Amino acid sequence: MMLSQSASTKIPVLSQIYSPKLTNFISATIMPRHHDLQNHHIISKLRIAYQGVPGAYGEAAALKAYPNCETLQCQHFQDAIQAVERGWAEEAVIPIENSIVGSVHTNYDLLLRHTLHVVGETHLFVDHCLLALPAAAKHHLTSVFSHPQALLQCQMSLNMLGVAAIPTHNTGVAAQIVASRGVQENGAIASARAAQLYGLNILDHKFQDRSNNITRFLKLAREPLLPATNTRSKTSISFIPDELHKALSVFAQTGIHISKIESRPLQKLPPNAVNGFKHGSNMNFKYVYFIDFEASVIEPRAQYALERLQKLAIYVRVLGCYPMSAATW
């Protein structure tokens, strides 16, 4: 597959954009990507991996990010990541946070365990539909199938309906289950496309607890991307601080806005962690932190912040630098 470089993305020499002190650190994590997959219109056919089956929201996110792509369905989020690692797909899209229920913690853990790079984001408006067999009505339902995140997003609606919530691997799979079982008492929370694909009736639109239901997906690739200099950029990092307040202060000092912060329990120190903890020795309650900040790694203020962070943390990893989503839906 032949890829063409973006005309608007000038690829600089690393030593010209990073200070010598920071060059070795960033070169392993955020080297400029010479072939820009964002320009999908000049690529013959991108293959994008997602978790689920046709009709799933992951498929919708892939098609929103790359309208002309070929989608590759995977059973688990890890399978989608591994499809990219093994060269079966150019990119994967995975959900990372939702406006109703917050972060998708399992996918933050996957970002740590794998070495793919975040090369973009896309925001998807999620209109959950309550689906059932064509002859079924709401009052017939006793159980509703869906992905655990979708069940959480519709928790109050489900409680009002008085049904049992049954988790499945995916919203599309939930629709498949209801269609294949043929039981009128079974319902599913899934998309309108899933209803069309699997011959189900839509009993209710916007079944989620809040109408403004947005899920943010990350685009992951084998090689990192350096956005064009005229593009509003976001950088995602993970780090293990010794003192969190000092680590966060580097962004306040440089006037960099942090748009997202998340923490996950630290299972073990990464192999390249340095210095160790100077404050507190109890490893049972240590955390790795994830931050999204609104600046590109080519900006001097971001370089300074990362240099300072290196001195205040025992581990820092740049997960990716990418254009900010226009957040339209």
Side-chain angles (χ1 to χ4, degrees):
M1 180 177 294
M2 296 299 293
L3 307 179
S4 299
Q5 183 177 318
S6 167
S8 63
T9 303
K10 184 179 179 181
I11 302 299
V13 178
L14 191 65
S15 60
Q16 293 175 342
I17 61 172
Y18 299 119
S19 64
K21 201 170 188 180
L22 198 58
T23 296
N24 291 337
F25 163 61
I26 295 186
S27 63
T29 55
I30 196 69
M31 280 288 287
R33 188 182 188 188
H34 291 274
H35 299 299
D36 187 357
L37 293 183
Q38 304 302 316
N39 293 289
H40 55 83
H41 60 283
I42 57 176
I43 301 173
S44 56
K45 199 75 169 178
L46 275 179
R47 182 176 290 127
I48 308 297
Y50 70 95
Q51 186 267 341
V53 298
Y57 294 110
E59 181 196 42
L63 292 171
K64 181 179 180 184
Y66 299 110
N68 300 316
C69 74
E70 175 186 346
T71 56
L72 177 66
Q73 63 188 69
C74 302
Q75 185 173 0
H76 303 288
F77 293 122
Q78 180 164 304
D79 297 334
I81 289 174
Q82 290 177 336
V84 179
E85 290 175 333
R86 295 169 182 174
W88 301 338
E90 280 76 26
E91 291 186 11
V93 292
I94 63 168
I96 201 68
E97 62 177 321
N98 174 264
S99 59
I100 295 179
V101 298
S103 299
V104 184
H105 293 130
T106 54
N107 287 344
Y108 273 103
D109 294 339
L110 288 174
L111 289 178
L112 279 184
R113 293 203 296 267
H114 294 268
T115 57
L116 293 185
H117 303 270
V118 184
V119 296
E121 62 179 359
T122 189
H123 293 79
L124 184 72
F125 173 72
V126 177
D127 177 12
H128 285 310
C129 299
L130 180 63
L131 311 181
L133 295 173
K138 263 189 180 184
H139 65 271
H140 292 147
L141 301 182
T142 59
S143 58
V144 172
F145 297 83
S146 199
H147 187 272
Q149 284 282 321
L151 295 174
L152 284 172
Q153 293 163 26
C154 304
Q155 192 168 33
M156 289 190 291
S157 298
L158 289 169
N159 289 341
M160 290 177 63
L161 199 58
V163 296
I166 303 176
T168 61
H169 285 306
N170 186 260
T171 55
V173 169
Q176 284 183 335
I177 290 173
V178 173
S180 62
R181 289 188 176 182
V183 178
Q184 285 197 353
E185 289 78 19
N186 289 346
I189 296 171
S191 66
R193 172 169 158 77
Q196 182 181 27
L197 288 173
Y198 304 114
L200 298 177
N201 188 35
I202 299 177
L203 299 181
D204 206 347
H205 282 278
K206 291 184 172 57
F207 193 64
Q208 61 267 18
D209 294 337
R210 289 202 338 239
S211 60
N212 191 30
N213 186 24
I214 312 298
T215 296
R216 175 177 170 241
F217 286 78
L218 296 181
K219 298 187 276 188
L220 306 178
R222 290 183 295 278
E223 294 187 20
L225 170 73
L226 190 64
T229 54
N230 60 349
T231 301
R232 288 190 65 198
S233 299
K234 183 182 289 187
T235 299
S236 296
I237 65 172
S238 61
F239 65 99
I240 304 172
D242 187 25
E243 295 178 274
L244 180 60
H245 71 287
K246 289 184 178 179
L248 293 178
S249 71
V250 304
F251 298 99
Q253 292 166 5
T254 50
I256 295 176
H257 175 60
I258 294 175
S259 58
K260 170 72 174 175
I261 183 168
E262 183 58 68
S263 64
R264 295 295 295 149
L266 178 62
Q267 304 299 327
K268 61 179 181 180
L269 287 176
N272 56 341
V274 296
N275 297 331
F277 293 104
K278 298 183 180 67
H279 296 82
S281 58
N282 187 350
M283 286 295 295
N284 292 324
F285 296 100
K286 296 295 184 182
Y287 292 85
V288 56
Y289 291 85
F290 297 83
I291 277 181
D292 296 336
F293 63 82
E294 295 180 5
S296 170
V297 289
I298 67 173
E299 295 182 44
R301 60 178 182 152
Q303 294 177 33
Y304 176 80
L306 289 172
E307 284 183 356
R308 291 286 301 145
L309 184 60
Q310 273 190 285
K311 296 175 181 178
L312 297 169
I314 67 169
Y315 168 82
V316 181
R317 175 183 164 194
V318 177
L319 298 170
C321 181
Y322 48 93
M324 290 178 60
S325 170
T328 56
W329 35 80

